[in-house]
């Protein structure tokens, strides 16, 4: 968790201080505040990124060279902490033969990994 928080602090500092240039210049951000998320992504892609498709899902990894997307690395690391913690308790639950909690923890890991992977998608 501390590594994730440290990464957020470092990547945000790189972004705000302009050390890593953003896809959307900070002074341009107010022009996009009124847009929906999808409209924002389309506008950013059209005006700044010029990619074949808008950046959604794990697509942010392809634009980690941009300061505003670099922040996502810390967020992803923090999101992975839950999975790591469940993995950490699995051996103890197995050793104690606590089958119910072992099954619950294993199911949590499977569900979180599937959700993060984007394989199972609900909605649009």
């Amino acid at each position: 968790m501390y590594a994730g928080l440290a990464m957020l602090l470092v990547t945000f500092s790189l972004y705000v201080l302009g050390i890593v240039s953003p896809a959307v210049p900070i002074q341009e951000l107010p022009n996009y505040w009124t847009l929906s998320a999808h409209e924002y992504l389309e506008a950013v892609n059209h005006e700044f990124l010029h990619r074949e498709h808008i950046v959604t899902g794990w697509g942010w990894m392809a634009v980690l060279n941009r300061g505003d997307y670099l922040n996502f690395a810390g967020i992803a690391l923090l999101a992975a902490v839950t999975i790591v913690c469940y993995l950490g308790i699995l051996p103890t639950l197995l050793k104690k033969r606590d089958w119910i909690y072992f099954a619950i923890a294993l199911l949590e890991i499977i569900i979180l990994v599937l959700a993060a992977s984007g394989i199972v998608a609900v909605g649009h």
Side-chain angles (χ1 to χ4, degrees):
M1 179 197 70
Y2 290 121
L5 291 174
M7 184 180 285
L8 282 174
L9 181 65
V10 169
T11 57
F12 184 70
S13 298
L14 292 172
Y15 165 62
V16 170
L17 296 173
I19 296 169
V20 178
S21 64
V24 181
I26 293 175
Q27 64 272 15
E28 292 287 325
L29 282 176
N31 299 329
Y32 299 97
W33 285 347
T34 59
L35 302 178
S36 69
H38 184 74
E39 291 170 335
Y40 171 79
L41 291 173
E42 284 183 340
V44 167
N45 189 50
H46 181 264
E47 297 293 325
F48 303 104
L49 294 176
H50 310 293
R51 299 180 58 82
E52 188 175 328
H53 302 287
I54 61 174
V55 177
T56 60
W58 285 93
W60 60 269
M61 293 186 78
V63 287
L64 279 176
N65 61 327
R66 304 299 189 118
D68 40 1
Y69 285 95
L70 185 59
N71 294 307
F72 288 16
I75 295 168
L77 183 60
L78 282 176
V81 167
T82 302
I83 297 169
V84 171
C85 290
Y86 275 119
L87 284 169
I89 65 168
L90 277 182
T92 303
L93 295 172
L94 190 60
K95 184 178 178 181
K96 289 183 174 184
R97 297 183 185 272
D98 200 344
W99 304 118
I100 299 296
Y101 285 119
F102 178 82
I104 291 170
L106 188 60
L107 283 171
E108 283 286 344
I109 292 167
I110 292 168
I111 290 167
L112 290 171
V113 168
L114 283 173
S117 71
I119 293 171
V120 179
V122 177
H124 37 295

